[in-house]
Amino acid sequence: MYLRKATNKKTGRTYLSIVHNYWDKNTKTTRSITVKSLGYLDKLEKEYDDPIGFFTNEAKKLEEERLSENSPLTFTIAKNELILANSFNRKNFGYAALSKIYHELDVDTFLRNRQRHSKEKYDANAIMKLLVFSRLLYPASKKKTYENRDIFFEKFNFSLDDIYRCLTLFNKHSDALQLWLHEHIKSQYNRNTDLVYYDVTNYYFEIDEQDDLRKKGVSKEHRPDPIVQMGLFMDTNGIPITYKLFPGNTPDKTTLIPSLSGIQREYSLGRIIVVADRGLTTGDNIWYILSAKNGYVLSYSVRGADKNFQKYVLDENGYVSKGDGFKIKSRLYPREIQVTATNGKR
């Protein structure tokens, strides 16, 4: 950094400023930025005996501070120094990459704004960071995650009870946070939603009694425990967009319409092609997809089809080989579907 003197040709007055030069890697040229504007020399001379000398020294001090901040650190450890028993000194530094993305998406801003007028004393942003970083690096329960908090450099000054209490706050703002993330991913990473995928999975809970959400249903893992259904939308690159939760006894086929109608409107998505397995193949879903001017690729059971369709599929004529024993053929063919009317009749 140095002191720059610029003279106005019309007025003859000299203007002082402290400037820093740096190399721009993109343009491959030297560029300058003004660190501090000082004012006109004739005015400064009324306040300082030697403004040129004074601010030249100030520029040198600022440059020394800049260099010291960017200089490497040296750690000195005594050879006979011992680590105390039961102490944990290993730290994870790799989460810095995750932290960068976290702040690029402004998750911290979202949470601070939502908590600004609330009465909670815990730091929701700090809790979210611990849960996110741990989920990606060391997946575990909330309790185990809290016990392993010292593995990060962050200062997590909250209790395990605070984590459990904060889950209510996260759930309250869940929909708004998902939309917030979607908008920031679009602006920061050029999210591609030309093709949106949807599928349903479920989570089981080892509990004795059911409640309004956790109910017994068709488990993907064939367990007798109560489950919760989750419908998940992903963009073209497989990055989650949003999700919806449904009671465990909700059939997969009934989750598509309420989920699709909401996401297409709230997330400003274009035309969606629904790619799904037989669990979502119903007349209601097909009718809704087409009425919304979307498209679909849904599986269809050959075994349960009529004889004409079975004959068409089993006939070797018309197939085109795609290699590795895979072959295809296609046709346009009318299909009759049953749709549920508003009075419940089909």
Side-chain angles (χ1 to χ4, degrees):
M1 298 185 191
Y2 64 95
L3 181 67
R4 172 186 283 177
K5 294 179 287 183
T7 303
N8 189 314
K9 294 181 180 180
K10 292 182 178 181
T11 63
R13 300 177 71 189
T14 300
Y15 191 86
L16 301 183
S17 59
I18 296 177
V19 177
H20 171 59
N21 290 342
Y22 69 96
W23 178 256
D24 191 328
K25 295 181 180 179
N26 296 324
T27 61
K28 299 186 183 304
T29 57
T30 300
R31 302 187 67 177
S32 299
I33 58 172
T34 300
V35 178
K36 190 174 183 180
S37 297
L38 302 174
Y40 287 103
L41 179 60
D42 53 354
K43 286 189 174 182
L44 293 173
E45 286 176 337
K46 297 177 181 178
E47 301 179 29
Y48 303 92
D49 295 334
D50 181 13
I52 299 294
F54 178 82
F55 287 110
T56 298
N57 290 331
E58 287 294 305
K60 289 181 180 179
K61 291 179 182 179
L62 290 174
E63 178 65 11
E64 290 174 357
E65 291 177 3
R66 186 187 70 83
L67 293 175
S68 64
E69 290 177 356
N70 297 326
S71 62
L73 297 176
T74 302
F75 295 93
T76 303
I77 302 175
K79 294 181 179 180
N80 59 349
E81 187 173 350
L82 300 177
I83 297 177
L84 298 176
N86 301 321
S87 62
F88 188 84
N89 296 293
R90 292 181 60 188
K91 298 288 184 181
N92 182 294
F93 190 69
Y95 80 96
L98 303 177
S99 181
K100 182 177 184 295
I101 297 174
Y102 183 93
H103 288 91
E104 284 179 348
L105 297 177
D106 286 335
V107 181
D108 52 331
T109 301
F110 175 90
L111 293 173
R112 289 196 178 101
N113 288 341
R114 296 306 185 282
Q115 198 181 10
R116 182 172 298 168
H117 303 295
S118 63
K119 298 179 180 179
E120 299 91 352
K121 295 182 179 180
Y122 52 75
D123 186 346
N125 178 54
I127 293 175
M128 177 64 87
K129 285 198 290 185
L130 174 63
L131 295 179
V132 169
F133 300 155
S134 297
R135 174 61 60 181
L136 291 169
L137 299 174
Y138 311 101
S141 66
K142 302 294 187 294
K143 182 175 182 295
K144 187 66 175 178
T145 296
Y146 177 76
E147 293 171 351
N148 292 337
R149 66 191 183 282
D150 291 334
I151 201 169
F152 301 106
F153 284 96
E154 308 278 339
K155 292 184 179 180
F156 296 124
N157 298 323
F158 49 80
S159 67
L160 178 60
D161 289 337
D162 288 334
I163 293 181
Y164 292 138
R165 295 188 187 101
C166 194
L167 297 179
T168 302
L169 179 71
F170 293 157
N171 181 64
K172 177 181 178 182
H173 300 292
S174 173
D175 292 339
L177 177 57
Q178 291 175 65
L179 185 57
W180 175 280
L181 292 173
H182 170 68
E183 295 297 336
H184 281 68
I185 292 174
K186 279 202 308 183
S187 62
Q188 293 281 351
Y189 306 109
N190 299 318
R191 159 169 271 171
N192 185 355
T193 55
D194 291 341
L195 181 63
V196 177
Y197 299 93
Y198 177 77
D199 201 0
V200 181
T201 188
N202 54 53
Y203 301 91
Y204 70 86
F205 293 82
E206 295 178 341
I207 57 176
D208 296 326
E209 297 184 4
Q210 306 177 65
D211 54 30
D212 293 338
L213 183 63
R214 298 174 292 182
K215 292 183 177 294
K216 291 186 177 181
V218 181
S219 172
K220 306 288 186 183
E221 298 177 314
H222 307 289
R223 296 178 64 96
D225 306 286
I227 60 174
V228 169
Q229 300 276 23
M230 185 188 78
L232 176 67
F233 286 92
M234 296 189 299
D235 65 17
T236 308
N237 297 316
I239 300 175
I241 300 175
T242 185
Y243 69 91
K244 298 293 182 183
L245 297 181
F246 302 91
N249 60 354
T250 305
D252 290 2
K253 61 186 179 182
T254 63
T255 65
L256 177 63
I257 293 177
S259 299
L260 185 58
S261 61
I263 182 179
Q264 199 161 12
R265 180 181 65 258
E266 296 171 10
Y267 288 74
S268 303
L269 301 180
R271 186 168 183 260
I272 293 177
I273 308 299
V274 178
V275 182
D277 56 20
R278 191 173 51 172
L280 296 177
T281 307
T282 67
D284 289 340
N285 285 340
I286 293 174
W287 176 84
Y288 178 79
I289 292 170
L290 296 180
S291 65
K293 298 183 179 181
N294 292 315
Y296 68 88
V297 179
L298 303 178
S299 63
Y300 186 61
S301 172
V302 176
R303 179 177 298 177
D306 58 44
K307 292 183 178 180
N308 288 333
F309 185 76
Q310 292 178 349
K311 182 179 179 180
Y312 169 76
V313 172
L314 297 176
D315 186 358
E316 291 293 333
N317 294 324
Y319 276 105
V320 178
S321 176
K322 292 296 182 179
D324 297 327
F326 181 72
K327 56 186 179 181
I328 65 171
K329 71 174 178 178
S330 63
R331 68 174 182 175
L332 293 176
Y333 194 78
R335 178 181 179 185
E336 184 179 281
I337 61 173
Q338 288 190 331
V339 179
T340 306
T342 54
N343 60 5
K345 294 182 178 181
R346 298 179 67 80

